[in-house]
């Protein structure tokens, strides 16, 4: 999370604090927004979302191979493929007739995370190195050689990570230093690195600028990265170096590497907030470990030495209190020395509202916006005046309310000139003076396109100054997807058995009215997160192979208000959260979408748990299941989480149920204790370094099923964590999934070939569950 430019986005989907934002759209507010870390406890790492391009060997290159040159041999299909439910006629397919290669769908993007330097002189972005690992590239926008925004031949690679992809990039305010975060083989101990973007690397001789680790030390995790253009040489960083359970705030002078302890965590703070003009830590969110309530604390000053007004100015005061069950948090201070600010709050209402408040008395000055069906989403503030410029909210699709007419005109221009019908417009990056923006056009049936929106004065053919803005193509995230046809994602409404409306997303394998197809129920992680509309490589992969995909925001998902969220409390496994998934499948059957005899439940993290729960508690519903980094025993899961989750444990128990003190309840909801009920084949994928869901969670259920003769396959990757970050492993596992689905559901399959660089191991074949997973 960070402060930059004018954009502040409140994220209810997941904890993004472990990543530096790639754009000004990422929120400083996520550091203090509730439910903070617990909002996405069992969400697969964001690294799994890179489902774009295959490995690029000769970068930079804009060549696009023909689709025919990338076709693979098909495996012989099972007898089930001859049935009318699984074989689509050519005219009824929603995607390309040819198999879209896994290497293209699940390899690296060719271009992603473009961000302008604050002064507009450079563009940084992520792209594969010659070795196929995502690294940082720089484009000099001042150079005449860079004319033609999509010309990459003069771009420079400034990092050379050999194995672990860089997945976030940002600029410091000196416009010369690039910041990024990375962990170590998936352990989620992210460190913050700085690298000089102006040094010309001698890549041919293997010489690149040396990245500097700004948060050094073993088992240290950095988060809450805050920058401020008024203090261009400083960064505020949260790390757990002093105490592994909590995050203190440090002031980093990144040019020298000096790290100074700024604010000590008293032990209960789970998020911090700064006042912009002073760049002082003046806001904190504390979590009560007993009742799981949250409190926003405010102090008038952080200057303990030069404060002439007495100690009262530096003392923390409890200003806002959110009992368990409420949602809200501090968004921003206003430029009046912190006397007023903005919060979001569900107090006295169903969904969160954006409020302007008195930070001394806690009184509401003005209610600015709320929506009856969903929470406030992104809030755009002016970087100087803090006036509200725009607000987004998302029930099924992103919608905006504008308070700034000029900004509204910008969006109208961008929408009117969109190169893709029905695309959603996003602001990825802005220069400090806001004359140049990087825009994304996001769609559900194709790759993201990036454009440069230039509002700076120019000259027309008569050399007269003009203020007409321009929109210039920058690049496409994955141009290798362009030759293929993809299935549009539909947002749908599903009524649960108790009448609750659920928002879902459907990706069809065959055109509507063309008959049924096998169905993949793709369950999102979190569970305190949500699915949303857009391009999802998994969904397109499934559709191309002949499977419809249904995603559903079951109760307990975030963004739909406090009642919807807490209807999921104590409803894991055998309760209403799982019933919502069952009801979604029945909806798809009733609508003539799904073949009732060919349903797969598939998910990662909590979605992996839901897969295991589906196979154990509704064993006749599913033909097979795929579990990625899912827990099988909730008590052992919570007993092994990282130490920095400790302040949130009681809140998790309130949501999940008291598995600490009620062993019968734990056995009731934990699939491990119900293995005998499983009838359908299961495929498990796990990362050996997963800090959230330890390898033991996969081991115990896989070996139990294996010993009982229940069909199970188990793939372990020793250099991965909570999700598969390395493309080689991602492609390898998905190849195994494809064979598994073709065998059990009867769809199409690309040939499974050995993926060079994959580290897949097979514990069941090696006969050990003690971590010794040497390959045979």
């Amino acid at each position: 999370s960070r402060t930059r430019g004018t954009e502040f986005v409140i994220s209810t989907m997941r904890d993004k604090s472990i990543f530096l934002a790639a754009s000004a759209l990422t929120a400083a507010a996520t550091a203090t927004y509730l439910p903070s870390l617990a909002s996405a406890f069992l969400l697969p790492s964001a690294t799994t979302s890179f489902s774009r391009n295959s490995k690029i060997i000769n970068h930079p290159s804009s060549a696009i191979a023909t689709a025919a040159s990338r076709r693979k041999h098909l495996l012989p299909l099972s007898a089930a493929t001859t049935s009318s439910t699984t074989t689509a006629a050519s005219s009824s397919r929603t995607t390309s007739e040819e198999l879209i290669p896994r290497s293209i769908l699940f390899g690296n993007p060719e271009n992603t995370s473009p961000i302008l330097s604050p002064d507009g002189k450079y563009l940084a972005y992520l792209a594969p190195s010659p070795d196929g690992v995502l690294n940082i590239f720089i484009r000099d926008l001042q150079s005449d050689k860079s004319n033609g925004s999509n010309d990459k031949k003069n771009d420079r690679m400034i990092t050379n990570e050999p194995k672990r992809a860089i997945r976030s990039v940002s600029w410091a305010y000196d416009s010369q230093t690039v910041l990024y975060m990375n962990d170590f083989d998936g352990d989620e101990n992210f460190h913050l690195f700085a690298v000089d973007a102006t040094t010309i690397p001698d890549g041919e001789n293997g010489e690149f600028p040396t990245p500097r680790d700004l948060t050094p030390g073993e088992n240290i995790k950095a988060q809450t990265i805050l920058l401020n253009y008024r203090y261009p040489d400083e960064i505020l960083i949260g790390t757990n170096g002093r105490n592994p359970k909590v995050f203190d705030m440090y002031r980093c002078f990144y040019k020298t590497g000096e790290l100074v302890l700024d604010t000590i965590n008293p032990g209960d703070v789970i998020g911090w907030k700064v006042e912009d003009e002073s760049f002082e830590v003046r806001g904190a969110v504390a979590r009560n470990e007993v009742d799981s309530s949250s409190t926003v604390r405010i102090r008038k000053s952080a200057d303990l030495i030069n404060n002439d007004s007495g100690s009262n100015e530096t003392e923390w005061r409890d200003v806002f209190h959110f009992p368990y069950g409420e949602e809200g948090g501090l968004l921003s201070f206003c430029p009046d020395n912190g006397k007023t600010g903005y919060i979001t709050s569900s107090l006295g209402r169903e969904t969160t509202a954006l409020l302007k408040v008195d930070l001394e008395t806690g009184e509401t000055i003005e209610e600015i916006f709320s929506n009856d069906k969903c929470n406030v989403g992104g809030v755009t503030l002016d970087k100087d005046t803090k006036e509200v410029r725009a607000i987004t909210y998302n029930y099924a699709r992103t919608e905006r309310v504008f308070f700034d007419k000029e900004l509204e005109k910008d969006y109208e221009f961008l929408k009117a000139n969109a190169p893709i019908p029905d695309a959603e417009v996003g602001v990825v990056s802005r220069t400090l003076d806001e004359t140049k923006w990087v825009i994304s056009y996001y769609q559900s049936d194709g790759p993201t396109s990036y454009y440069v929106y230039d509002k700076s004065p120019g000259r027309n053919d008569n050399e007269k100054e003009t203020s007409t803005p321009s929109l210039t193509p920058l690049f496409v995230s994955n141009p290798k997807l362009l030759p293929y046809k993809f299935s549009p994602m539909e947002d749908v409404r599903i009524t649960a058995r108790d009448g609750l409306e659920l928002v879902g997303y459907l990706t069809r394998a065959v055109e509507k009215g063309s008959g049924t197809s096998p169905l993949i129920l793709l369950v999102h992680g979190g569970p305190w997160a949500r699915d949303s509309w857009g391009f999802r490589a998994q969904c397109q992969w499934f559709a191309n192979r002949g499977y419809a995909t249904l995603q559903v925001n079951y109760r307990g998902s975030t963004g739909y208000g406090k009642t919807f969220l807490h209807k999921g409390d104590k409803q894991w496994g055998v309760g209403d959260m799982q019933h919502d998934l069952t009801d979604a499948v029945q909806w798809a059957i009733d609508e003539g979408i799904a073949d009732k005899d060919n349903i797969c439940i598939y998910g990662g993290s909590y979605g992996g748990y839901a897969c295991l729960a589906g196979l154990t508690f509704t064993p006749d519903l599913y033909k097979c299941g795929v579990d990625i980094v899912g827990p099988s025993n909730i008590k052992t899961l919570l007993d092994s989480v990282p130490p920095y989750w400790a302040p949130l444990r009681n809140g998790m128990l309130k949501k999940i149920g008291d598995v600490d003190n009620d062993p019968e309840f734990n056995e009731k909801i934990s699939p491990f204790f119900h293995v005998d009920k499983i009838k359908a084949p299961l495929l498990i994928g796990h990362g050996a370094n997963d800090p959230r869901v330890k390898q033991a969670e996969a081991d115990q259920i896989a070996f139990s099923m294996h010993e009982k003769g229940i069909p199970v396959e188990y793939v372990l990757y020793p250099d991965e964590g909570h999700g598969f970050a390395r493309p080689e492993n991602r492609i390898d596992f998905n190849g195994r999934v494809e064979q598994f689905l073709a065998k059990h559901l009867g769809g199409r399959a690309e040939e499974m070939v050995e993926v060079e660089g994959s580290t897949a191991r097979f514990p069941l074949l090696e006969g050990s569950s003690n971590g010794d997973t040497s390959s045979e």
Side-chain angles (χ1 to χ4, degrees):
S1 60
R2 61 175 310 194
T3 302
R4 183 163 193 235
T6 65
E7 299 284 354
F8 295 84
V9 175
I10 302 164
S11 173
T12 59
M13 290 181 61
R14 65 187 70 180
D15 169 34
K16 296 184 178 178
S17 57
I18 59 174
F19 296 113
L20 260 181
S23 73
L25 276 172
T26 299
T30 48
T32 54
Y33 186 74
L34 306 181
S36 190
L37 289 170
S39 64
F41 173 48
L42 292 181
L43 188 72
S45 168
T47 59
T48 62
S49 66
F50 279 124
S51 50
R52 303 296 190 197
N53 196 3
S54 60
K55 182 165 64 176
I56 306 300
I57 301 302
N58 297 311
H59 177 79
S61 172
S62 58
I64 300 176
T66 64
S69 70
R70 296 193 299 271
R71 291 176 184 163
K72 302 288 186 182
H73 296 294
L74 300 184
L75 284 179
L77 300 182
S78 67
T81 58
T82 62
S83 70
S84 61
T85 61
T86 57
T87 302
S90 298
S91 60
S92 66
R93 287 195 191 279
T94 58
T95 63
S96 296
E97 284 299 310
E98 64 267 46
L99 290 176
I100 304 171
R102 292 186 300 270
S103 59
I104 291 178
L105 285 166
F106 298 107
N108 282 322
E110 188 166 316
N111 318 281
T112 190
S113 303
I115 181 169
L116 294 160
S117 61
D119 62 7
K121 294 180 180 179
Y122 298 98
L123 176 81
Y125 64 95
L126 298 177
S129 68
D131 294 325
V133 180
L134 283 179
N135 273 275
I136 301 172
F137 286 76
I138 298 295
R139 178 174 301 176
D140 186 348
L141 300 179
Q142 308 167 90
S143 171
D144 290 338
K145 296 178 181 179
S146 69
N147 286 344
S149 61
N150 59 353
D151 184 0
K152 298 166 61 175
K153 65 179 181 293
N154 295 303
D155 297 354
R156 299 178 282 112
M157 190 172 87
I158 63 167
T159 59
N160 191 27
E161 289 287 340
K163 181 180 179 181
R164 193 79 178 167
I166 296 173
R167 287 148 287 159
S168 62
V169 59
S170 188
W171 287 93
Y173 275 103
D174 66 352
S175 292
Q176 298 178 345
T177 304
V178 168
L179 306 169
Y180 68 93
M181 301 189 79
N182 218 344
D183 69 348
F184 306 91
D185 285 343
D187 65 359
E188 295 189 10
N189 286 323
F190 285 86
H191 285 209
L192 179 65
F193 296 89
V195 62
D196 184 3
T198 61
T199 300
I200 306 297
D202 187 0
E204 293 183 1
N205 295 322
E207 297 178 3
F208 293 88
T210 302
R212 293 177 290 116
D213 188 348
L214 300 179
T215 52
E218 189 175 354
N219 296 322
I220 288 178
K221 178 184 176 73
Q223 64 176 37
T224 315
I225 312 301
L226 303 172
L227 299 95
N228 189 312
Y229 72 90
R230 302 171 183 84
Y231 299 82
D233 297 331
E234 302 175 20
I235 309 172
L236 283 168
I237 307 172
T239 83
N240 62 345
R242 182 185 63 87
N243 181 342
K245 293 184 177 181
V246 298
F247 291 83
D248 304 313
M249 290 300 289
Y250 289 80
R251 193 170 297 270
C252 177
F253 300 89
Y254 61 87
K255 292 188 176 181
T256 64
E258 182 183 8
L259 201 64
V260 179
L261 181 61
D262 183 272
T263 304
I264 294 177
N265 193 321
D268 60 353
V269 171
I270 60 171
W272 303 100
K273 186 63 186 175
V274 300
E275 193 280 321
D276 283 356
E277 293 190 343
S278 64
F279 203 36
E280 293 179 339
V281 178
R282 293 208 207 165
V285 169
R287 178 67 56 83
N288 185 312
E289 291 190 38
V290 176
D291 63 12
S292 295
S293 64
S294 297
T295 300
V296 175
R297 295 173 182 160
I298 303 293
R299 61 180 175 182
K300 292 184 177 180
S301 173
D303 191 346
L304 302 177
I305 298 175
N306 301 311
N307 195 305
D308 296 329
S309 302
S311 61
N312 289 339
E313 295 291 307
T314 59
E315 290 180 355
W316 291 100
R317 297 174 296 105
D318 294 351
V319 181
F320 303 101
H321 184 70
F322 297 93
Y324 176 79
E326 299 289 350
E327 298 182 273
L330 177 64
L331 176 62
S332 177
F333 291 91
C334 290
D336 52 9
N337 198 28
K339 293 179 181 178
T340 62
Y342 297 105
I343 69 167
T344 59
S345 174
S346 66
L347 294 171
R349 65 185 68 246
E350 180 55 40
T351 58
T352 60
L354 178 65
L355 308 175
K356 187 173 183 179
V357 294
D358 187 314
L359 294 178
E360 295 183 358
T361 66
E363 295 179 354
T364 298
I365 298 172
E366 179 186 3
E367 178 181 331
I368 298 171
F369 178 80
S370 65
N371 181 274
D372 291 339
K373 300 186 73 173
C374 59
N375 290 344
V376 171
V379 180
T380 305
L381 301 176
D382 185 276
K383 69 179 185 297
D384 296 315
T385 68
K386 300 298 182 183
E387 292 296 319
V388 177
R389 303 182 69 192
I391 295 172
T392 66
Y393 58 97
N394 186 332
Y395 185 69
R397 296 281 300 269
T398 299
E399 300 181 65
R400 289 184 175 86
V401 176
F402 289 95
F403 297 81
D404 182 322
K405 294 300 182 183
E406 288 302 313
L407 185 62
E408 185 174 15
K409 290 180 181 178
D410 288 325
Y411 274 87
E412 288 174 349
F413 175 85
L414 295 171
K415 191 69 176 176
N417 290 275
I420 307 164
D422 197 38
E424 290 191 357
V425 179
V427 180
V428 181
S429 169
R430 287 182 174 127
T431 55
L432 188 59
D433 64 7
E434 299 190 15
T435 57
K436 288 185 180 179
W437 304 6
V438 172
I439 301 300
S440 66
Y441 286 104
Y442 192 58
Q443 56 185 323
S444 70
D445 54 352
T448 298
S449 297
Y450 296 101
Y451 281 68
V452 175
Y453 178 47
D454 193 343
K455 299 176 62 179
S456 56
R459 293 189 178 277
N460 60 21
D461 294 339
N462 297 322
E463 292 300 312
K464 292 184 178 180
E465 188 172 288
T466 175
S467 59
T468 303
S470 63
L471 192 62
T472 307
L474 182 59
F475 42 55
V476 175
S477 60
N478 188 356
K480 290 190 175 182
L481 293 173
L482 293 174
Y484 297 100
K485 175 186 175 184
F486 294 101
S487 177
M489 179 180 284
E490 306 168 30
D491 59 274
V492 298
R493 308 294 180 271
I494 299 166
T495 302
R497 63 188 65 181
D498 62 354
L500 186 66
E501 182 176 88
L502 310 173
V503 174
Y505 298 94
L506 174 66
T507 306
R508 298 178 187 267
V510 296
E511 297 290 349
K512 187 175 181 180
S514 298
T516 63
S517 61
L519 177 74
I520 308 291
L521 179 66
L522 183 58
V523 187
H524 73 68
W528 310 299
R530 62 163 292 173
D531 271 322
S532 56
W533 180 91
F535 185 86
R536 185 82 177 264
Q538 283 178 309
C539 299
Q540 300 298 338
W541 171 45
F542 294 146
N544 182 249
R545 273 35 172 188
Y547 317 117
T549 307
L550 181 61
Q551 303 162 266
V552 59
N553 287 325
Y554 46 83
R555 71 193 70 207
S557 300
T558 54
Y560 295 104
K562 61 188 180 186
T563 297
F564 189 93
L565 174 66
H566 291 287
K567 278 182 178 289
D569 288 3
K570 299 180 177 63
Q571 298 300 312
W572 286 39
V574 295
D576 288 339
M577 290 173 72
Q578 198 73 25
H579 295 336
D580 287 347
L581 301 177
T582 302
D583 294 347
V585 170
Q586 190 59 51
W587 172 88
I589 294 170
D590 294 343
E591 291 291 314
I593 297 164
D595 170 9
K596 65 181 179 61
D597 296 320
N598 284 288
I599 311 289
C600 173
I601 184 167
Y602 187 119
S605 199
Y606 175 83
Y609 165 82
C611 166
L612 299 178
L615 297 188
T616 52
F617 303 129
T618 52
D620 296 321
L621 182 60
Y622 300 106
K623 188 78 169 290
C624 60
V626 179
D627 155 34
I628 304 170
V629 299
S632 59
N633 182 336
I634 304 306
K635 179 68 167 72
T636 56
L637 165 76
L638 293 181
D639 285 346
S640 61
V641 296
Y644 45 83
W645 292 97
L648 308 167
R649 184 187 178 97
N650 196 54
M652 295 176 190
L653 291 175
K654 283 182 174 292
K655 287 186 171 72
I656 299 169
D658 192 0
V659 297
D660 280 350
N661 299 305
D662 189 344
E664 290 184 4
F665 179 75
N666 180 60
E667 289 187 14
K668 180 181 177 181
I669 67 171
S670 296
F672 173 68
F673 297 101
H674 304 273
V675 167
D676 290 338
K677 298 178 182 178
I678 297 177
K679 299 179 181 179
L682 173 65
L683 173 61
I684 298 174
H686 213 93
N689 301 320
D690 192 335
R692 305 188 192 192
V693 181
K694 295 295 195 295
Q695 178 186 332
E697 294 297 318
D699 283 350
Q700 59 195 2
I701 196 165
F703 278 88
S704 178
M705 291 179 65
H706 185 63
E707 290 166 2
K708 295 175 185 294
I710 303 170
V712 58
E713 300 174 40
Y714 176 21
V715 190
L716 182 72
Y717 297 91
D719 53 355
E720 296 287 5
H722 199 58
F724 307 142
R726 298 186 61 235
E728 297 89 341
N729 292 333
R730 198 160 56 239
I731 294 168
D732 176 87
F733 183 73
N734 287 335
R736 300 177 193 281
V737 169
E738 190 163 313
Q739 306 307 308
F740 179 82
L741 295 177
K743 178 181 179 181
H744 298 293
L745 297 184
R748 306 194 298 171
E750 182 185 5
E751 181 182 14
M752 177 66 189
V753 295
E754 182 178 352
V755 179
E756 183 179 355
S758 173
T759 58
R761 296 184 178 182
F762 311 96
L764 294 179
L765 301 181
E766 296 149 15
S768 172
S769 61
N770 62 5
D772 180 9
T773 58
S774 300
S775 180
E776 290 183 337

